[in-house]
Amino acid sequence: MASGDLALVLMAAGKGTRMRSSLPKVLHPVCGRPILMHAVQLGRELGARRVVAVVGSGEDQVREVLADEDVEIVVQSEQLGTAHAALQARALLEDHEGPVLVMNGDHPLYRASTFNDLLDTYRKGSAELAILVAEFPNPTGYGRIVRNSDGSVARVIEEDDADAATKEIREVNLGAYLASSELLFQCLSKVGNDNAKSEYYLTDVIEIAAQEGRRVETSSTDDWTETLGVNSRVELAEAERLMRRRLAEYWMREGVSFVDPDCTYLDCDVEIGPDTRIEPGVTLKSGTRIGSGCRIDSGAVIENTTIGDDCWIKPQCWLEGARLAARVVVGPSAHLRPDTDLADDVRVGNYVEIKNSRLGPGTKADHLSYLGDSDVGSGVTIGCGAITVNYDGTSKSRTVIGDRVFVGCNSNLIAPVEIESGAYIAAGSTINKEVPDGALAIARARQRNIEGWRDRRFGKKDGKD
């Protein structure tokens, strides 16, 4: 009977040459989260007390991603095989009193329930080594599970070393091994490299343990999608597709409607309230929180943004780092940039851009406006083409607009400037001085009509242009 805290060893030292990328394979994102971080998250869900990542290629980049995580790092300086990689964790874990789970760090789709079953197999039975297996209709590329006549596990034979009869076996090894630290590192130290690739295979610990009379048990998964490792861009895209579908199905069970789940792009770190409707072609990126009763129309891209209840995001909007209260309407084709804060019942129309600004309740900017570095009160109307001129080429300044202000079309508000409550800005004005409460500001040249100018300039053309 095994006891003690779980330690997780993640194999993340491979070069990933088939990715053809300067970014290490395990750092490519799947639904907004690096592949390796999916495995780290799995460890958290399993309650692992310690997580060790074995890194090699791209060590500095991996360290940077893991800098804020409670993950210990060891380095495989030479790529001599998976057993050699796992052995690098011995110095950290050889005195660990609980079980050690070794698994690949390039499998982003594993569910915690699958590994809880593996842990149950190890803890509740007589197993000294528990491994994860599955039966595939087409097992090509996987190591085959070879059993004795009594059904006990004898060893794993890799594809390159398998004869024709062995290749007919459909039960395959999925690369997850659970044992005590003592047994694990004892077996790893005995692994040789007498095989087609002259590498030290982690799978050999199974045969070594069995030959020493250790009880090897298996736990299986029936969901083939969990087993997909990422070794190429094709497999990366497939993992992304499967994860997106899984996320969409989760939120649909929580009361969210997706018109076409397969054409909706979800990251892992997204939350959506019930009775929200998501149209096709929407992209919801990490850090996004959407309330209940919202409508998100096609083409919207929303990243790291909080949206309150009963909001409507119309087609082709881009929201990044924004905060929306309740009943806000945005778009179509609006751009909310970081630190945009919209209060209840704000309306932002087509081709409006807002950055680092707060708009009070009921304010509306319906079309073709820019508000940057602004504090806007409640009930304000921003006319078509009105902008805050917040940058003088050296520094940025703020514009303050009080409650119930009316800003006419094509007005320029040159910061720093304050428009007090109830003021009106005449269309076409350029304002660079304070406008008092309730005043009408007109800052434009008086209209002047010059009679006969056209004929004098271009000559008469008998009424024809």
Side-chain angles (χ1 to χ4, degrees):
M1 181 69 66
S3 62
D5 294 323
L6 175 68
L8 175 63
V9 177
L10 298 175
M11 310 286 280
K15 293 182 178 179
T17 52
R18 280 182 281 170
M19 297 294 286
R20 300 182 65 84
S21 174
S22 60
L23 186 70
K25 175 179 68 174
V26 294
L27 298 187
H28 282 263
V30 172
C31 291
R33 180 182 293 166
I35 293 170
L36 181 59
M37 288 306 302
H38 283 279
V40 172
Q41 178 63 27
L42 176 67
R44 294 194 186 108
E45 294 176 23
L46 295 175
R49 183 60 59 90
R50 300 178 69 180
V51 178
V52 177
V54 182
V55 304
S57 178
E59 174 191 348
D60 291 342
Q61 292 165 287
V62 175
R63 284 185 181 277
E64 184 177 353
V65 168
L66 295 177
D68 296 328
E69 304 295 331
D70 187 17
V71 176
E72 301 169 83
I73 296 176
V74 294
V75 180
Q76 183 190 26
S77 55
E78 295 182 89
Q79 307 291 302
L80 300 179
T82 51
H84 177 261
L87 200 57
Q88 307 310 304
R90 178 167 57 180
L92 290 177
L93 296 176
E94 60 184 346
D95 295 327
H96 179 73
E97 295 184 357
V100 177
L101 171 61
V102 179
M103 63 174 287
N104 296 321
D106 61 358
H107 284 62
L109 295 166
Y110 276 131
R111 303 176 194 266
S113 58
T114 296
F115 283 85
N116 280 324
D117 290 344
L118 181 67
L119 286 164
D120 287 345
T121 297
Y122 178 72
R123 287 171 169 157
K124 295 180 179 178
S126 58
E128 294 177 274
L129 171 63
I131 62 174
L132 190 63
V133 301
E135 282 205 13
F136 289 168
N138 179 10
T140 302
Y142 286 85
R144 309 306 203 277
I145 301 293
V146 178
R147 294 182 179 268
N148 297 312
S149 58
D150 63 358
S152 61
V153 176
R155 59 180 174 148
V156 171
I157 298 180
E158 296 289 357
E159 174 87 14
D160 290 340
D161 299 304
D163 58 24
T166 302
K167 289 180 179 180
E168 293 298 316
I169 298 173
R170 295 194 301 168
E171 187 180 25
V172 302
N173 172 51
L174 296 180
Y177 311 82
L178 185 63
S180 69
S181 59
E182 179 184 5
L183 175 60
L184 176 67
F185 294 115
Q186 180 186 92
C187 293
L188 282 170
S189 65
K190 296 178 181 179
V191 173
N193 65 345
D194 184 16
N195 52 63
K197 291 186 176 181
S198 297
E199 290 186 357
Y200 296 89
Y201 289 151
L202 181 54
T203 50
D204 287 352
V205 302
I206 297 170
E207 183 176 7
I208 293 169
Q211 288 178 346
E212 292 183 355
R214 307 286 190 158
R215 180 72 174 172
V216 180
E217 297 282 1
T218 62
S219 179
S220 62
T221 176
D222 296 326
D223 183 0
W224 71 268
T225 66
E226 288 191 69
T227 69
L228 179 65
V230 175
N231 294 292
S232 68
R233 304 277 184 164
V234 174
E235 291 170 341
L236 180 67
E238 179 66 4
E240 177 98 12
R241 183 186 70 82
L242 292 168
M243 180 66 77
R244 284 201 314 266
R245 182 69 194 205
R246 183 187 296 181
L247 292 168
E249 288 178 358
Y250 169 82
W251 288 113
M252 285 189 282
R253 289 192 294 270
E254 294 295 310
V256 178
S257 291
F258 291 87
V259 175
D260 187 347
D262 293 329
C263 291
T264 305
Y265 305 94
L266 291 171
D267 279 354
C268 296
D269 182 22
V270 169
E271 295 179 6
I272 312 171
D275 291 322
T276 286
R277 177 184 173 91
I278 311 293
E279 298 284 339
V282 169
T283 299
L284 302 179
K285 293 181 174 290
S286 293
T288 292
R289 306 287 181 265
I290 300 175
S292 62
C294 294
R295 173 177 165 183
I296 313 297
D297 283 346
S298 297
V301 178
I302 305 174
E303 180 175 5
N304 191 32
T305 290
T306 299
I307 297 175
D309 296 341
D310 301 310
C311 292
W312 182 8
I313 310 302
K314 296 183 179 181
Q316 307 303 323
C317 291
W318 183 15
L319 284 62
E320 47 176 336
R323 297 175 296 276
L324 283 63
R327 301 176 301 280
V328 174
V329 178
V330 179
S333 302
H335 185 188
L336 304 186
R337 293 168 56 190
D339 296 317
T340 292
D341 192 343
L342 307 184
D344 293 345
D345 303 299
V346 165
R347 195 170 73 204
V348 174
N350 53 296
Y351 302 104
V352 173
E353 181 176 353
I354 304 176
K355 187 266 306 185
N356 190 25
S357 297
R358 182 188 184 281
L359 275 61
T363 286
K364 56 185 179 181
D366 279 328
H367 33 238
L368 299 165
S369 297
Y370 171 71
L371 299 173
D373 302 294
S374 302
D375 299 301
V376 183
S378 62
V380 173
T381 297
I382 305 295
C384 177
I387 66 170
T388 58
V389 185
N390 57 323
Y391 184 52
D392 64 5
T394 303
S395 59
K396 294 183 180 180
S397 301
R398 296 196 72 80
T399 296
V400 178
I401 302 174
D403 298 337
R404 305 179 311 282
V405 167
F406 182 95
V407 180
C409 295
N410 292 321
S411 295
N412 302 308
L413 308 181
I414 302 178
V417 69
E418 180 174 359
I419 315 299
E420 294 185 353
S421 296
Y424 271 63
I425 308 299
S429 294
T430 295
I431 304 298
N432 61 0
K433 293 182 176 61
E434 178 181 339
V435 180
D437 190 344
L440 170 64
I442 303 175
R444 61 191 184 206
R446 183 181 298 274
Q447 181 173 330
R448 178 185 173 203
N449 297 332
I450 303 175
E451 298 291 341
W453 180 88
R454 178 190 173 98
D455 289 347
R456 291 195 295 274
R457 175 65 177 82
F458 297 106
K460 290 185 178 181
K461 297 183 178 180
D462 298 324
K464 296 182 181 180
D465 290 337

